[in-house]
């Protein structure tokens, strides 16, 4: 099911490799429709990483909802699934082929986080500024260079807050690993 109010788009799916590719195309088309072409690469990368985590780690099922919302100067992309375990940013070894997904999301986004939805699951989200269209920051290589610095900031701020929130509710964080699919 896809809904298309003026600045809101929701897609429900099974996080399977073939479906992840379809969602990437839907997100790209929606951002083109909203004339937000400069955000396409980062939004598609981020949603791919979040959906890959659902595909690899979510239990009991792979059903999820992707939501993109454009409000004033900010695009928010969120993925809701039925697994209450919050993701954890891993320190991937330099030659590791996985384990960098959330670090990439942290590096290319303005902010990101995860929030529990009781026993029914969680929402993992990230935001992108819409007003930032300077050539240096619209170049994906800029974000690759910033990954290490931003991950450290996220590790000690946003993740610490989410881990604290998890401790209160008693849920266990899920490992967050990445493999680009679709």
């Amino acid at each position: 099911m896809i809904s298309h109010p003026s600045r809101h788009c929701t897609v429900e799916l099974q996080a399977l490799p073939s479906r992840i590719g379809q969602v990437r195309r839907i997100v790209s088309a929606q951002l083109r429709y909203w004339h937000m072409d400069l955000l396409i690469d980062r939004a598609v990368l981020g949603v791919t990483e979040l959906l890959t985590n659902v595909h690899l780690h979510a239990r009991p099922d792979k059903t999820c909802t992707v939501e993109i919302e454009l409000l004033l100067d900010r695009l928010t992309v969120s993925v809701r699934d039925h697994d209450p375990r919050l993701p954890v940013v891993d320190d991937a070894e330099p030659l590791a082929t996985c384990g960098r997904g959330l670090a990439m999301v942290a590096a290319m986004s303005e902010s990101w986080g995860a929030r529990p939805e009781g026993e029914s699951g969680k929402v993992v989200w990230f935001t992108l500024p819409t007003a930032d269209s300077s050539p240096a920051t619209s170049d994906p290589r800029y974000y690759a260079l910033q990954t290490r610095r931003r991950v450290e900031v996220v590790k000690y701020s946003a993740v610490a807050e989410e881990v604290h929130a998890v401790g209160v509710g008693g849920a266990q964080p899920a490992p967050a690993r990445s493999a680009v699919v679709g």
Side-chain angles (χ1 to χ4, degrees), residues 31-46:
L31 291 177
R32 271 190 214 87
Y33 178 73
W34 290 339
H35 305 289
M36 294 287 143
D37 297 49
L38 288 174
L39 300 179
I40 291 172
D41 289 340
R42 289 181 282 159
V44 166
L45 173 65

Side-chain angles (χ1 to χ4, degrees), residues 1-167:
M1 169 198 289
I2 302 172
S3 66
H4 292 281
S6 63
R7 298 293 185 170
H8 184 260
C9 178
T10 302
V11 181
E12 296 176 16
L13 70 142
Q14 289 284 321
L16 303 172
S18 62
R19 298 290 301 180
I20 293 171
Q22 291 173 343
V23 172
R24 290 164 51 106
R25 289 185 290 279
I26 291 168
V27 168
S28 295
Q30 188 65 48
L31 291 177
R32 271 190 214 87
Y33 178 73
W34 290 339
H35 305 289
M36 294 287 143
D37 297 49
L38 288 174
L39 300 179
I40 291 172
D41 289 340
R42 289 181 282 159
V44 166
L45 173 65
V47 79
T48 299
E49 293 303 330
L50 298 184
L51 288 173
T52 299
N53 282 345
V54 173
H55 173 69
L56 294 174
H57 304 292
R59 288 181 252 148
D61 61 41
K62 308 298 181 192
T63 303
C64 63
T65 303
V66 174
E67 184 175 4
I68 59 175
E69 186 171 29
L70 184 60
L71 294 173
L72 300 174
D73 62 347
R74 193 136 350 292
L75 177 75
T76 302
V77 178
S78 61
V79 175
R80 174 178 284 110
D81 66 47
H82 297 139
D83 190 340
R85 299 173 301 154
L86 295 177
V88 175
V89 177
D90 283 340
D91 285 329
E93 294 295 320
L95 299 177
T97 59
C98 61
R100 293 184 178 85
L102 287 177
M104 285 194 300
V105 170
M108 63 86 197
S109 65
E110 179 179 65
S111 61
W112 78 277
R115 66 180 181 272
E117 298 237 315
E119 294 297 315
S120 64
K122 68 177 169 300
V123 176
V124 183
W125 56 269
F126 65 90
T127 62
L128 299 172
T130 60
D132 189 4
S133 59
S134 66
T137 57
S138 62
D139 184 344
R141 292 173 294 183
Y142 171 82
Y143 295 97
L145 295 173
Q146 299 300 316
T147 300
R148 262 196 153 350
R149 183 184 63 77
R150 296 278 311 274
V151 169
E152 295 302 316
V153 172
V154 169
K155 205 181 286 185
Y156 295 110
S157 61
V159 173
E161 291 172 15
E162 293 303 328
V163 169
H164 176 69
V166 169

